[in-house]
Amino acid sequence: MLKSARKQEKDPEGRMPLAEHLRELRNRLAKAMLAIVLVTIVAAFFYKDIIEFFTNPILDAVGCDATFSELAKQDTGNCARIVLNGLLTPFTLALKVSLMAGVILASPVWLYQLWAFVAPGLHRHERKYAYAFVGTGVPLFLGGAFFAYKTLPTMAKVLLEFSPADLDNQLPLDDLLDLIVRMVLVFGLSFELPLLLVMLNLTGALTGKRMLGWWRGMIIGITVFAAVATPSTDPLTMLALAGPIWILYFFATGFSLLNDRRRRRRDELGPADDEASELDLTPEDIGEVENIGTTRTVPGQTSTERVNGYDDVT
């Protein structure tokens, strides 16, 4: 009965005491961690398939299938072999790959838990924007990760060309996976830059006109960032990262310009029903101050009578 009463008394605007906020945060964190653990356990049975999914494209580009004697007779160029070093490395690698897969594949669950914790404190229009950000941010991140996955073989082939001739390169698998994860994160997060600019524009912190004025500096900055973020020195990998970000930047600029025009029209019509109007804080003259006497009397008593043992006369 008490639990049902608490649910019925819940504030429709999402307001609750601090203890209730902490309790809800604990419950949602527990649900998110449980989802990650369950997906990690399932991914542990397929961790070899996950490793092959990421490493096979690289091996197809730079892999060695011939022996040293065959390599001496053939002009096969530089190649590489993926190896494991240490007795505990296969076990720790399986844990790392499984946990990484668990965090990524369980992202819809913990993103929903995060959203469910934040959403009650948002206004109706803010919730609409938040849904759009989540729905746009995930495809952008996946698009960046896809570009990283496609450019990794070319990058590996270019890097291995610096090796001396007729040498067999051994690539530790754990280091290779760390490089792959880093590249996926760099590409994925880089694709979120236009979304960040749109968020700043929707909050009024950045105008589309200012973004348009930054286009020369942004192109140079994105190019330099792509050159530093990609380990290889070939222009193809750099352009694979910089080119899509250029396009997304100009798309974000165009969206911001249209949003600024829409905001100006909305301001001319006045605030919406769930928005507070702007306050005019300009000081004004309040006129002559009325003089009020300092003598205080209790009804039914004269000013010379004593109240609570004191003369009520100043």
Side-chain angles (χ1 to χ4, degrees), residues 2 5 21 25 29 56 59 61 82 142-143 146 153-154 171 175 223 228 231 241 245 254 279 310:
L2 292 177
H21 275 294
L25 178 62
L29 286 177
N56 280 343
L59 281 179
I82 298 179
L142 294 178
F146 175 78
T154 304
L171 306 179
D175 294 341
T223 305
V228 175
L241 176 59
I245 302 179
L279 297 178
Y310 298 93

Side-chain angles (χ1 to χ4, degrees), residues 60-71:
D60 292 340
V62 299
C64 290
D65 296 328
T67 62
F68 283 107
S69 59
E70 294 174 346
L71 288 173

Side-chain angles (χ1 to χ4, degrees), residues 120-135:
L122 300 177
H123 295 290
R124 179 169 53 85
H125 64 283
E126 293 174 334
R127 296 180 187 179
K128 178 182 64 176
Y129 289 147
Y131 280 124
F133 292 152
V134 174

